[in-house]
Amino acid sequence: MNNIERRNANIAYISDSAVFEEQKVCRRILQRLNTADADDFDTHRAIVRELFGDVENVCVNPPFYCDYGFNISIGSNTFINYNCTILDTAKVKIGSNCQFAPNVSLYTAGHPLHPVSRNSLYEYGRPITIGDNVWLGGNVVVLPGVTIGSNVVIGAGSVVSRDIPEWSLAAGNPCRVLRQITEGDKPYYYKKERFDDEAWQNVLAYEDSLKPSAPQKTAVVGYSGSGKSSLARALADKYRVPLLHLDRVFWLPEWHERARSESQELIGEFMDTHSQWVIDGNYQHPEYHYARRMAEAGRIILLEFNRAACLFRAVRRWGKYHGKCRGSIGEGCPEKIDAEFVKWILRDGRTVQHQARYGALKKRYADKITVISSQRELDAFYQAEGLAQTGG
């Protein structure tokens, strides 16, 4: 294995003459970028496309430095300010709508700790990933192997040595999360200084322009107790589309099961008469139009919480609705939690067959499925989608 292959495999390698030849190509491109007229933005954009490939609306203020260029991918509408250095020995992935202040440095490259190993000329690279809507303050340094989630702000002068979760304000050396970024931060442009009315209306108009149109049909599936019905209600309310809880179809008063033939007719009629809908529930037998629901849905949301989380949520829900009938179940079926339901949450609803069905669903509909596996991910989904939290 030659050293270029070793480098590309993210194992120890030596920068030999073949590696240097690749760097020479990049340095010739950078020479043109960094010596172009400062006001020649068209030339800057052309050279940036030559360096990174077919990027969309990416602005790089020279001087800029990197090792290869071809190891860097950048999303649309990203701005990189003066004197940025990216050592792209390994892959660097930068999302869309990112902002880098002056003197930001991303280092995928590193050297062994022990002097003997280090002086042997072996080095290594570890990928860096930066999500969408990330702002890195001036003089931020990101170290090898770090992932920064979407919607993150890193304070000036920080050294980021560990992963930073999405929607975080983080700072320091070493960089640590100070707090979460929430909707409450939106009206402020600097600390506690609010936007004036004119600017605020422009912000709101911009936000409205970003909102995607609602998928015409959304299927919400997942393990019992994971919050399917609450999420389905929030989606239906947000996008003002008809909602069908399959539990309402399945259960008659006093927790009696409806005949499958009758359920099949009711679900089929709902789907036939509505061009838009949200349907929540698993019910994977053919009578419940499972295959049709998954095929017709423009978006499938799979809530794949672990057993403990589902049981906790079910108990909490029982405490909230004890003796009452939830809207997703219907009249005559007061909230309950008994040994049979607990067994379903912990075992019977998680058989190998159930898991295989979800695995097949993720594989077949990978282009339209969203998998949510924790409360943190669910909260982030609610926030990103602009949904009201009901706590149900």
Side-chain angles (χ1 to χ4, degrees):
M1 185 181 293
N2 63 42
N3 279 299
I4 290 178
E5 292 169 336
R6 294 180 65 87
R7 180 201 64 200
N8 293 346
N10 289 333
I11 61 177
Y13 77 100
I14 293 174
S15 290
D16 59 11
S17 59
V19 173
F20 284 141
E21 286 301 316
E22 289 189 332
Q23 293 183 2
K24 287 180 182 179
V25 174
C26 179
R27 293 189 184 192
R28 286 192 288 269
I29 297 173
L30 292 177
Q31 178 73 13
R32 289 190 281 116
L33 174 64
N34 293 335
T35 58
D37 289 343
D39 61 350
D40 192 352
F41 300 141
D42 290 339
T43 296
H44 295 174
R45 283 190 289 267
I47 297 174
V48 165
R49 285 193 295 271
E50 182 181 354
L51 186 62
F52 301 134
D54 189 19
V55 292
E56 179 183 351
N57 195 29
V58 170
C59 178
V60 177
N61 272 346
F64 172 80
Y65 307 97
C66 66
D67 283 333
Y68 304 99
F70 57 71
N71 268 341
I72 302 171
S73 66
I74 306 179
S76 59
N77 307 314
T78 286
F79 175 74
I80 297 176
N81 216 328
Y82 306 108
N83 211 39
C84 175
T85 299
I86 300 179
L87 302 185
D88 56 325
T89 296
K91 297 290 185 182
V92 175
K93 183 178 180 181
I94 300 169
S96 297
N97 301 300
C98 291
Q99 295 178 322
F100 289 11
N103 303 307
V104 164
S105 298
L106 311 182
Y107 300 151
T108 70
H111 302 273
L113 183 64
H114 195 281
V116 171
S117 300
R118 186 166 62 251
N119 294 337
S120 70
L121 300 182
Y122 274 101
E123 54 189 296
Y124 66 88
R126 287 294 180 270
I128 289 175
T129 301
I130 296 174
D132 298 328
N133 308 307
V134 171
W135 175 22
L136 303 184
N139 294 290
V140 163
V141 176
V142 181
L143 297 183
V146 165
T147 294
I148 297 175
S150 295
N151 309 303
V152 165
V153 175
I154 305 293
S158 299
V159 177
V160 188
S161 57
R162 298 179 182 178
D163 293 352
I164 303 296
E166 61 183 13
W167 289 100
S168 297
L169 170 64
N173 182 7
C175 187
R176 62 184 180 86
V177 174
L178 302 180
R179 66 176 179 85
Q180 293 294 292
I181 297 172
T182 70
E183 287 294 291
D185 294 302
K186 192 187 302 179
Y188 301 94
Y189 67 91
Y190 175 68
K191 294 185 177 178
K192 290 303 180 181
E193 297 184 25
R194 286 179 173 269
F195 286 103
D196 60 86
D197 289 342
E198 180 182 359
W200 179 237
Q201 292 306 312
N202 290 333
V203 170
L204 295 179
Y206 170 71
E207 182 181 37
D208 286 339
S209 73
L210 297 177
K211 292 178 181 177
S213 57
Q216 288 191 331
K217 300 174 181 178
T218 300
V220 183
V221 296
Y223 292 118
S224 294
S226 56
K228 297 186 299 296
S229 59
S230 296
L231 177 58
R233 166 54 64 189
L235 288 166
D237 288 346
K238 169 70 180 294
Y239 296 115
R240 299 179 182 178
V241 298
L243 168 64
L244 179 64
H245 298 294
L246 293 185
D247 279 343
R248 288 183 65 92
V249 176
F250 186 84
W251 293 111
L252 294 170
E254 306 300 325
W255 295 101
H256 295 301
E257 297 180 14
R258 190 188 302 271
R260 287 189 181 179
S261 58
E262 186 179 349
S263 295
Q264 183 178 29
E265 183 178 350
L266 290 171
I267 298 169
E269 181 182 2
F270 178 86
M271 297 179 71
D272 289 340
T273 55
H274 296 293
S275 61
Q276 296 180 304
W277 47 252
V278 175
I279 300 177
D280 86 270
N282 300 314
Y283 296 98
Q284 296 169 340
H285 293 288
E287 293 89 343
Y288 301 106
H289 298 279
Y290 176 76
R292 180 184 172 188
R293 282 185 278 129
M294 299 305 107
E296 290 188 9
R299 175 168 61 171
I300 300 170
I301 302 173
L302 170 59
L303 299 181
E304 214 171 22
F305 282 46
N306 63 38
R307 291 176 172 83
C310 287
L311 182 60
F312 172 79
R313 292 176 62 91
V315 171
R316 185 181 64 180
R317 185 177 65 193
W318 174 80
K320 179 178 180 179
Y321 292 102
H322 181 56
K324 302 175 184 178
C325 299
R326 278 187 292 126
S328 60
I329 298 292
E331 293 302 319
C333 296
E335 189 71 22
K336 67 174 183 177
I337 185 165
D338 53 19
E340 183 178 1
F341 187 41
V342 171
K343 189 172 70 170
W344 174 263
I345 292 174
L346 297 181
R347 190 189 69 184
D348 295 349
R350 292 176 177 267
T351 63
V352 173
Q353 290 80 3
H354 285 94
Q355 296 175 36
R357 289 193 191 103
Y358 288 148
L361 195 66
K362 288 186 281 188
K363 184 176 181 180
R364 181 172 183 179
Y365 296 112
D367 60 329
K368 65 179 183 180
I369 193 167
T370 299
V371 181
I372 299 174
S373 303
S374 68
Q375 187 61 49
R376 177 188 288 263
E377 292 179 8
L378 183 59
D379 290 342
F381 182 85
Y382 268 82
Q383 185 173 41
E385 200 84 5
L387 305 178
Q389 288 268 22
T390 62

